[in-house]
Amino acid sequence: MPDRHRHTGRPAFTLIELLVVVAIIGLLVALMLPALGKVRHSATFTRCQSNLRQIALAILTYESDHGRMPMHPFEAGDYECFPPVVKGLMLDARPLYEPYMNVDFFACPGVKPWKPSTSQALVISIDYVLTAGYYGDGRGDVRQFTFDNLWIRSDQPWKFNDDQLSVLAGDKAFRNPVGGIARFIVNHPGDSMHFEEWSPPGFAGSAHLAVGSLEDDLLRPTVNNFAYADGHVTLFGPGSDGLIPMPTRQASRLESSYLLPVVP
């Protein structure tokens, strides 16, 4: 007579075997995390580059239709504007771009998501520097810039001192000395531990902020993308050559500057 209580299945795992399996899975996860982080960072930079290509294409297509690049709020009289500002008190430039691009591409994937298209802020500082209509020929002293030499045509690259520039838009890499300290504001802090997520009061959007001494240079270790007047986009990694500090025209921040690439 067969034994009804005899087990015919496989024996169960022992506690030691389960612990070994859990340890192996944990080890595999630990080995995969750095690779997953690199993939995530790579995807962020790829999306950022795509945004900048769309912005450059919109600027160049607008120029083809209107004989000049889109007006910047600074050009319209918002002299307290920074180059990332797309809406000031005198001009909202978003309607100029909307027929040519989705203006939500002004939000960099390297920062907390937000929608420039629906922002109701009085001043909208987007995640990318817009040089068209803001910068132009000038010298080291920002007061040598004049209001009638703004960069409005892509086929006329502008100069700063002896350096020629033709970047249309790029990641924010901003040095802002104030009150005896230096604030550094970027989209992609890279592996730097100095930066924390930050939303500027009174403005739209967000960024990464680090605070240091006036002698610090926390921008060089960051990673930045820039789109040029010929439509191509270049990534500058930590410590890359070819980037120079460009003083802002903003009247109350004459010591502030952005990193921008020069033409090789």
Side-chain angles (χ1 to χ4, degrees), residues 29-240:
V29 170
L31 292 173
M32 290 176 60
L33 283 177
L36 291 174
K38 290 181 180 179
V39 170
R40 187 163 54 248
H41 282 126
S42 178
T44 297
F45 289 126
T46 299
R47 289 169 54 206
C48 178
Q49 290 175 345
S50 177
N51 284 1
L52 286 167
R53 287 191 183 95
Q54 294 298 324
I55 294 170
L57 179 61
I59 291 173
L60 296 173
T61 306
Y62 181 98
E63 180 186 13
S64 177
D65 289 346
H66 299 276
R68 57 152 297 164
M69 294 186 285
M71 180 177 287
H72 189 279
F74 180 88
E75 186 182 354
D78 288 316
Y79 298 143
E80 290 298 310
C81 280
F82 291 98
V85 170
V86 74
K87 176 183 180 293
L89 300 178
M90 303 289 291
L91 172 70
D92 184 351
R94 289 176 297 177
L96 304 180
Y97 288 89
E98 284 170 345
Y100 302 95
M101 62 174 280
N102 178 352
V103 297
D104 286 334
F105 289 143
F106 284 136
C108 176
V111 302
K112 185 167 63 177
W114 66 292
K115 288 188 173 295
S117 61
T118 58
S119 174
Q120 299 298 313
L122 290 178
V123 175
I124 299 179
S125 181
I126 58 174
D127 298 331
Y128 297 114
V129 173
L130 298 175
T131 58
Y134 183 88
Y135 280 120
D137 290 349
R139 286 179 278 177
D141 185 345
V142 71
R143 286 162 292 193
Q144 297 295 326
F145 283 108
T146 60
F147 296 129
D148 59 356
N149 65 352
L150 302 176
W151 190 38
I152 63 172
R153 292 184 57 86
S154 63
D155 60 352
Q156 299 173 351
W158 51 288
K159 288 186 176 182
F160 179 71
N161 294 331
D162 295 325
D163 294 308
Q164 181 171 300
L165 297 93
S166 65
V167 62
L168 292 175
D171 275 315
K172 192 184 300 178
F174 179 46
R175 183 179 187 275
N176 180 24
V178 57
I181 63 172
R183 300 193 307 165
F184 302 89
I185 301 168
V186 301
N187 292 349
H188 307 284
D191 296 327
S192 174
M193 302 300 292
H194 298 283
F195 288 88
E196 296 181 358
E197 193 172 89
W198 174 70
S199 295
F203 289 81
S206 61
H208 299 280
L209 170 71
V211 177
S213 72
L214 296 177
E215 292 73 32
D216 287 335
D217 186 359
L218 301 183
L219 298 183
R220 294 293 174 181
T222 62
V223 182
N224 303 285
N225 290 306
F226 295 95
Y228 294 81
D230 62 4
H232 85 278
V233 177
T234 298
L235 183 146
F236 286 80
S240 294

